[in-house]
Amino acid sequence: MSRQSEGRPSEARSRLLSTATRLFYAEGIHAVGIDRIVAEAQVTRATLYRHFPGKEDLVLAYLNEVDRAIRGQADEAVAAGLPAAGTIRALSESIVQGIQSPGFRGCAFLNAAAEYPDPESPVHRAVLAHRQWFLETVTELLAKIQETGAEPAARHFVMMRDGAMAAGCLFDPVLISETFLRGVERLLEVYAVTDYSGPAGA
């Protein structure tokens, strides 16, 4: 029985997805053609199309891999069993680790949205689905501190995260990380003692 028939991804598919993930993130989705992916993954075009009928399918698989990695970071932060504020801090630290990692080029989802602006595009919808999950995750954590204002505070957190991800590949990532973490601390401080209504309330 083959590995693929046992429910595991084939080696060729894994190699294709790994190659596409590296190239799409480093160079941009539209800038990387199928021929380049096939050549670097060392497979045939027929093999690629057997696993991914079109480039869009490969792009969606790439975003799914990134989504799974980020969800794993969130799950790890929650599994630590910290108080809600501590979990928010742990999640923030994982964001900072990404910003300071070699080859960081910003948020894969924001990058993809810029290349697929059509709201009807499956890629654009995948970006929105990921971002909705992230917003809901942060909202649920903040609601454990206090329910009032959890969603506005979560939107503020996501806004700071987006800014840090955008600035982190343009300026000193250490400085950007420190600024982001200070912002998170201030958000938690204000949120815990006020009827939070958004950034203006801070």
Side-chain angles (χ1 to χ4, degrees):
M1 181 180 291
S2 70
R3 290 178 59 191
Q4 191 171 6
S5 65
E6 292 173 354
R8 302 176 188 144
S10 73
E11 181 183 343
R13 185 186 187 281
S14 296
R15 202 159 61 240
L16 279 164
L17 186 52
S18 175
T19 301
T21 295
R22 173 173 53 83
L23 293 175
F24 286 160
Y25 184 70
E27 301 180 22
I29 296 169
H30 291 326
V32 178
I34 290 297
D35 288 341
R36 172 93 179 276
I37 295 169
V38 165
E40 295 205 16
Q42 299 182 323
V43 300
T44 64
R45 270 175 143 327
T47 298
L48 182 143
Y49 289 125
R50 185 165 66 249
H51 294 290
F52 304 101
K55 184 177 179 180
E56 186 175 90
D57 299 282
L58 185 55
V59 173
L60 291 171
Y62 151 62
L63 291 178
N64 183 62
E65 285 296 297
V66 179
D67 173 78
R68 187 162 58 180
I70 295 173
R71 287 175 187 256
Q73 291 173 349
D75 289 344
E76 185 176 335
V78 171
L82 300 169
T87 303
I88 290 287
R89 291 186 182 97
L91 187 58
S92 301
E93 288 289 349
S94 71
I95 291 169
V96 162
Q97 288 172 11
I99 291 172
Q100 296 185 32
S101 64
F104 177 73
R105 286 199 68 251
C107 172
F109 289 93
L110 293 178
N111 294 347
E115 295 199 61
Y116 291 83
D118 181 358
E120 298 304 314
S121 161
V123 174
H124 195 92
R125 291 201 299 266
V127 170
L128 294 182
H130 169 80
R131 290 181 62 79
Q132 184 61 33
W133 161 79
F134 188 73
L135 176 62
E136 289 173 357
T137 297
V138 177
T139 300
E140 289 171 5
L141 288 170
L142 289 169
K144 292 179 180 179
I145 300 173
Q146 68 167 357
E147 292 188 11
T148 304
E151 186 175 343
R155 288 198 301 269
H156 192 177
F157 179 92
V158 173
M159 180 184 70
M160 289 194 298
R161 177 263 183 198
D162 288 349
M165 295 288 275
C169 59
L170 298 173
F171 305 105
D172 180 357
V174 174
L175 178 60
I176 296 302
S177 297
E178 291 172 351
T179 303
F180 169 64
L181 292 176
R182 283 199 300 270
V184 172
E185 284 301 322
R186 179 58 176 158
L187 172 64
L188 290 171
E189 177 186 337
V190 172
Y191 176 69
V193 297
T194 64
D195 184 1
Y196 195 89
S197 58

